[in-house]
Amino acid sequence: FVVCGGASTWGWITGWWLPVGLRDPAFLWAPCKEFPHLSFHRSSWLLLAPLLTPSVPVITAPPCSLCPEGAHRFQWIGNLVPEFGISSSHIKVLSSPAEFYELLKVQIKSAKQRVVMASLYLGTGLLEQELVDCLEETLEKSFQAKGSPDFRVSILLDYTRGSRGQKNSRTMLIPLLQRFPEQVRVSLFHTPNLRGLLRLLIPERFNETIGLQHIKVYLFDDNVILSGANLSDLYFTNRQDRYVLLQDSPEIADFFTELVDAIGDVSLQLQQDDTVQMMEGMVHPYQGDKVAYCEIANRRVMEVINSARTRQELLHAKTFHSSQQGSSLLSQKGSQASRDLKPEPDTWIYPLIQMKPFGIQIDEMVTETLLTEAERDARIYLTTGYFNLTQAYMDLILGTRAEYRILLASPEVNGFFGAKGVAGAIPAAYVYIEHQFYSEVCYLHQQERVQLQEYSRAGWTFHAKGLWLYLAGSDLPCLTLIGSPNFGYRSVHRDLEAQVAIVTENKALQQQLHQEQEQLYLCSGVVSSSTFEQPNRYVKLWVKLVTPLIKNFF
């Protein structure tokens, strides 16, 4: 039955009270104490119901029945975003910054049609200049070649981070704009929340706390690299992150090209003289009406998501019907038909977008549902370079039944370690947040089920984020999340984020993902009460007092 009261509607379903139709996606499932004997079979559809908002597609249908037999249990994600089925042979998991950097250069040099790169910023060192030189070389070749006049380079960065200092991302890219004005586009996203008096008063660097373009996607023709790494020398040398290459995946490449284009359309366009201007007819992000700007941005991004979802559903149906004729086709045309048929997909890619300033909360919804759905004896390995989980994520980790192994940065490998000024206290703030969470775990006697581990590696910093899901009884993960979100307040509420859920039935790819997880966790130690007694874990009183006030900004 359903009870209506004020702004919320609550439904009673087999022993659980479920909030229905709330606009706030944060939720906490708690069994009804009056009826402890009743059991609750949790369904993805019930879990998603209270999370839906007008900014995302409403789930009205059961999982797609066109998927091949034995398809994975995560098809419900496809009711929110496009589902891309590919062969696991097209996926490669990278392990090191150097491998990532070399791959970027190789892919740029071999691109024939497009290079699309979204990042927080582009650094200004020699390694970054080498990347720009690779772009210039490829543009020059395409300009001279009659066969490829349509080659394009599109770069999306954050305005505030990309404008920091006299030499910055903008000055690095202006020579490309000047030489190839028809082929190069540089878009600088400016959050609509930094405006008016706030924009005038907050100094450089600190203005980046209000909101950023944080998506990291690098694609070259039909090859896509998804990562949490930025285009900076640290990320090419000794800052550990995660990276996955999706090869020969035109549908996925088209989707991310369209997504970057959509964000680029509502961003400031860098000009050859280092000025910026909006596209004609577009509402300005900080001078124009904020509500109108956010509505336009929401519409542009959701058009990309919904149109890709429709395309994939049609493609899925076409593939299903053609596969029914496969055996007769093979008998008629023999080996030639066999060569023409693409390998059956055994892996599914779901792009998860989070842009709370625009009212888009898909990544948050899916992540919360995955944490809620994980059954007893399932294992979730979750990693973040900046441990500052939202309250909803913490409640779910502490209140659900799966085992958690959470990997975070020790103070020495935190990206802010040794920074000048106030930023130098940020690692101590993370220690304080970590200690508070660990104390809560101990208070609830959850130390066996929820374990914290700190990454430590001499001369390195830690920036990896994502999760690996191991179903109960399995030694290999069947799902991973990889991309830009850190699972913190900023990722959920302030910044533009994107990651993908990779779901696979292929044992070889599962093994790759397992090895990636193991390699990261091997450089870690388990957190205990004695961890916080070490001298380097001392947190000054002023940091303890200030952290609750500013934790939503870093």
Side-chain angles (χ1 to χ4, degrees):
F1 58 87
V2 173
V3 178
C4 297
S8 302
T9 303
W10 292 77
W12 172 259
I13 302 177
T14 61
W16 287 57
W17 285 106
L18 304 179
V20 180
L22 296 178
R23 292 184 61 84
D24 184 359
F27 67 99
L28 177 62
W29 306 98
C32 180
K33 296 178 181 177
E34 288 79 3
F35 298 89
H37 61 284
L38 293 176
S39 63
F40 177 55
H41 177 69
R42 288 182 289 183
S43 160
S44 299
W45 314 112
L46 295 178
L47 294 169
L48 283 172
L51 301 176
L52 297 174
T53 69
S55 63
V56 297
V58 177
I59 297 175
T60 57
C64 176
S65 61
L66 300 178
C67 291
E69 194 172 332
H72 55 83
R73 66 175 65 188
F74 302 100
Q75 290 173 319
W76 53 268
I77 306 176
N79 288 273
L80 295 171
V81 297
E83 176 186 77
F84 300 99
I86 66 174
S87 169
S88 57
S89 61
H90 293 175
I91 300 178
K92 181 182 179 183
V93 179
L94 311 180
S95 61
S96 72
E99 191 178 7
F100 169 59
Y101 180 61
E102 291 304 317
L103 181 62
L104 285 175
K105 291 192 294 182
V106 168
Q107 290 291 321
I108 290 173
K109 290 179 180 179
S110 60
K112 304 297 182 187
Q113 298 172 321
R114 60 185 171 189
V115 170
V116 179
M117 298 197 292
S119 186
L120 173 62
Y121 69 106
L122 171 69
T124 58
L126 294 177
L127 295 180
E128 297 93 321
Q129 184 59 54
E130 193 173 342
L131 277 185
V132 175
D133 292 342
C134 289
L135 284 169
E136 185 174 19
E137 179 184 328
T138 305
L139 282 161
E140 182 65 40
K141 284 194 298 185
S142 72
F143 189 77
Q144 294 176 355
K146 295 181 179 179
S148 54
D150 297 325
F151 182 77
R152 293 290 181 269
V153 172
S154 178
I155 298 174
L156 171 67
L157 304 173
D158 181 74
Y159 175 88
T160 54
R161 182 62 184 88
S163 302
R164 186 200 292 181
Q166 291 296 313
K167 186 177 182 182
N168 52 42
S169 305
R170 294 162 63 164
T171 59
M172 291 287 287
L173 294 169
I174 283 174
L176 291 183
L177 278 171
Q178 293 172 338
R179 273 202 75 186
F180 307 98
E182 301 300 317
Q183 292 175 280
V184 177
R185 179 190 191 188
V186 178
S187 305
L188 302 169
F189 174 79
H190 189 296
T191 177
N193 294 326
L194 181 63
R195 55 176 46 234
L197 197 59
L198 186 68
R199 189 174 188 273
L200 292 174
L201 294 178
I202 299 184
E204 194 174 81
R205 293 177 68 97
F206 291 93
N207 58 8
E208 297 165 24
T209 62
I210 305 303
L212 297 167
Q213 191 305 110
H214 201 243
I215 296 169
K216 293 91 186 277
V217 176
Y218 311 106
L219 72 88
F220 317 90
D221 294 343
D222 294 336
N223 300 329
V224 182
I225 301 173
L226 291 154
S227 179
N230 293 303
L231 296 174
S232 176
D233 55 1
L234 291 174
Y235 298 90
F236 304 150
T237 53
N238 62 347
R239 178 164 288 182
Q240 184 62 56
D241 215 300
R242 299 180 64 207
Y243 335 83
V244 64
L245 170 64
L246 310 178
Q247 303 174 84
D248 191 22
S249 303
E251 293 88 1
I252 300 173
D254 288 346
F255 171 82
F256 279 107
T257 297
E258 292 171 13
L259 179 66
V260 171
D261 283 346
I263 303 169
D265 288 348
V266 298
S267 298
L268 296 157
Q269 306 300 303
L270 182 63
Q271 306 299 306
Q272 297 179 37
D273 59 356
D274 199 19
T275 60
V276 293
Q277 63 184 44
M278 292 298 292
M279 290 177 60
E280 188 175 350
M282 182 60 64
V283 178
H284 200 281
Y286 63 85
Q287 294 176 352
D289 182 77
K290 180 179 176 181
V291 173
Y293 172 81
C294 291
E295 286 178 351
I296 292 170
N298 174 289
R299 190 160 56 248
R300 283 288 288 112
V301 173
M302 290 309 301
E303 281 173 359
V304 172
I305 295 171
N306 291 330
S307 62
R309 187 164 164 257
T310 300
R311 285 198 307 268
Q312 288 308 113
E313 287 174 349
L314 292 172
L315 181 63
H316 203 173
K318 182 180 178 182
T319 303
F320 175 75
H321 291 306
S322 63
S323 68
Q324 290 182 318
Q325 305 167 1
S327 56
S328 60
L329 186 69
L330 286 173
S331 62
Q332 290 173 13
K333 298 188 177 180
S335 61
Q336 180 60 43
S338 179
R339 286 193 298 270
D340 291 342
L341 289 175
K342 284 187 175 182
E344 282 289 325
D346 55 11
T347 302
W348 293 266
I349 310 294
Y350 299 97
L352 308 178
I353 311 303
Q354 183 74 12
M355 300 178 181
K356 188 71 172 283
F358 304 156
I360 299 172
Q361 300 162 248
I362 297 173
D363 179 64
E364 176 188 6
M365 293 163 55
V366 172
T367 301
E368 288 187 348
T369 304
L370 287 173
L371 298 183
T372 306
E373 278 280 77
E375 71 266 37
R376 188 183 302 277
D377 296 327
R379 286 173 294 138
I380 292 179
Y381 289 78
L382 185 150
T383 179
T384 173
Y386 306 109
F387 184 74
N388 187 15
L389 302 179
T390 66
Q391 190 62 49
Y393 291 161
M394 286 192 290
D395 289 341
L396 287 170
I397 290 170
L398 294 173
T400 50
R401 300 174 297 178
E403 295 180 10
Y404 284 87
R405 301 293 179 263
I406 302 174
L407 182 63
L408 47 101
S410 65
E412 294 78 15
V413 299
N414 186 292
F416 290 96
F417 185 75
K420 297 178 181 178
V422 177
I426 290 179
Y430 281 116
V431 169
Y432 182 60
I433 294 168
E434 176 190 351
H435 195 181
Q436 285 186 311
F437 181 76
Y438 180 76
S439 298
E440 185 71 13
V441 170
C442 294
Y443 175 77
L444 296 171
H445 306 290
Q446 300 283 328
Q447 300 97 309
E448 293 298 317
R449 191 180 64 83
V450 180
Q451 193 173 94
L452 298 181
Q453 296 179 227
E454 287 187 353
Y455 186 94
S456 183
R457 190 176 178 186
W460 284 65
T461 54
F462 184 69
H463 198 253
K465 68 260 306 191
L467 67 76
W468 301 259
L469 173 60
Y470 294 69
L471 298 178
S474 175
D475 294 327
L476 297 173
C478 64
L479 176 147
T480 190
L481 300 183
I482 180 170
S484 64
N486 278 298
F487 305 107
Y489 185 93
R490 286 202 60 144
S491 292
V492 171
H493 294 277
R494 295 187 181 279
D495 299 339
L496 306 191
E497 306 278 11
Q499 64 180 340
V500 294
I502 302 177
V503 179
T504 184
E505 295 177 337
N506 180 269
K507 295 299 181 184
L509 179 55
Q510 289 179 355
Q511 188 65 45
Q512 274 195 74
L513 295 171
H514 177 66
Q515 289 173 353
E516 177 199 30
Q517 176 270 118
E518 279 196 323
Q519 183 176 343
L520 290 173
Y521 278 70
L522 276 173
C523 296
S524 70
V526 176
V527 172
S528 65
S529 298
S530 62
T531 301
F532 301 101
E533 297 172 1
Q534 299 171 15
N536 64 341
R537 304 310 167 97
Y538 174 73
V539 179
K540 295 178 181 178
L541 178 60
W542 75 267
V543 175
K544 293 180 181 180
L545 294 174
V546 169
T547 296
L549 304 175
I550 64 171
K551 64 182 293 186
N552 293 342
F553 292 92
F554 61 85

